[in-house]
Amino acid sequence: ASTATKRAAEAAARDLQESQEVEENEALLRQVASLQHELVRLQEDMLLQQENTRKEMARTHDSMHAAAVQAEKVEARALVAEQRLAAAEEAVLAAVKLESSPTTLNALNNTPPDNTPPFAAIQVDTAAAAEVEVGVPASIREFCEQCGLGKYVELMDENEIDLDVLPDLEDEDWQEMGVSSADMPRLLEAVDNLQRILAER
């Protein structure tokens, strides 16, 4: 009887040990599954962060490019404004110098106030009009050569640009056609001069 009892106790001990091992193994498996799930979640978070970083860098790059383009436009327009201001100052100085010169003063003092033939004024106006006509280019090629940009004649022809289209073009249009930022101020000033001459005709 004691032997049977001993064997039963040993069997019960083995069953208990096996049961404990099974529980431990199941606990380990649950831990492994939990760790795997956590690892997948961390990988997904990392991929999402990488994608957000890439998008943010792309937006920053686009913003910097847009700012650079805008800065070039502002610089080109500022250069045109400076050139126009310098030209205006030169014109004022020339006018002041001409008015204060002895030749001009003598001519004004010796001009008959009331006996001047009316045809004299007409002749002067005709000469001025002829001068304006001479300053108007007959073609887009002549326009480019007059403003020192003859290298863009072929570019104008390729884009079917003529004298009537010139005033309608914006800075962006010229840049898209390939006009450099260094030549932009001279080109814009030449277009403005052409518009002014045509308006005075």
Side-chain angles (χ1 to χ4, degrees):
S2 68
T3 302
T5 302
K6 184 178 180 181
R7 289 178 179 175
E10 290 176 353
R14 284 195 302 270
D15 292 341
L16 179 60
Q17 183 176 1
E18 290 175 357
S19 176
Q20 290 176 346
E21 289 177 354
V22 169
E23 290 179 356
E24 291 176 357
N25 290 335
E26 290 177 351
L28 288 174
L29 290 174
R30 286 193 297 269
Q31 289 179 357
V32 170
S34 177
L35 290 174
Q36 289 176 340
H37 179 74
E38 183 67 17
L39 179 61
V40 170
R41 188 185 65 79
L42 290 174
Q43 290 175 340
E44 292 176 350
D45 290 344
M46 184 177 64
L47 292 175
L48 181 60
Q49 290 179 358
Q50 290 176 347
E51 181 65 17
N52 291 336
T53 301
R54 186 190 65 79
K55 291 180 180 179
E56 185 65 27
M57 291 178 64
R59 284 194 295 268
T60 302
H61 179 269
D62 292 342
S63 299
M64 292 177 63
H65 178 70
V69 172
Q70 186 64 26
E72 288 182 1
K73 292 180 183 179
V74 172
E75 184 178 355
R77 290 174 180 171
L79 183 57
V80 171
E82 290 178 2
Q83 292 176 347
R84 290 176 180 174
L85 179 60
E89 290 177 351
E90 291 179 0
V92 171
L93 291 175
V96 171
K97 187 180 296 184
L98 181 62
E99 290 178 359
S100 60
S101 65
T103 303
T104 303
L105 294 175
N106 290 334
L108 292 175
N109 292 331
N110 295 329
T111 300
D114 298 321
N115 297 327
T116 304
F119 295 102
I122 297 176
Q123 291 174 356
V124 171
D125 291 342
T126 304
E131 244 181 70
V132 172
E133 289 294 336
V134 171
V136 178
S139 64
I140 197 69
R141 176 180 294 274
E142 186 176 344
F143 168 79
C144 293
E145 292 175 352
Q146 282 182 0
C147 61
L149 299 173
K151 61 183 179 180
Y152 291 116
V153 172
E154 294 183 2
L155 181 67
M156 301 285 189
D157 293 338
E158 291 175 0
N159 290 274
E160 300 181 354
I161 304 299
D162 56 23
L163 296 177
D164 295 331
V165 177
L166 284 176
D168 299 330
L169 298 176
E170 302 291 341
D171 297 1
E172 295 80 0
D173 300 324
W174 293 117
Q175 290 178 349
E176 289 178 2
M177 283 189 286
V179 177
S180 67
S181 57
D183 294 331
M184 187 74 70
R186 187 191 305 176
L187 177 61
L188 296 177
E189 184 178 10
V191 173
D192 289 344
N193 290 337
L194 177 62
Q195 285 184 278
R196 185 168 58 256
I197 291 174
L198 294 176
E200 294 173 355
R201 291 175 61 183

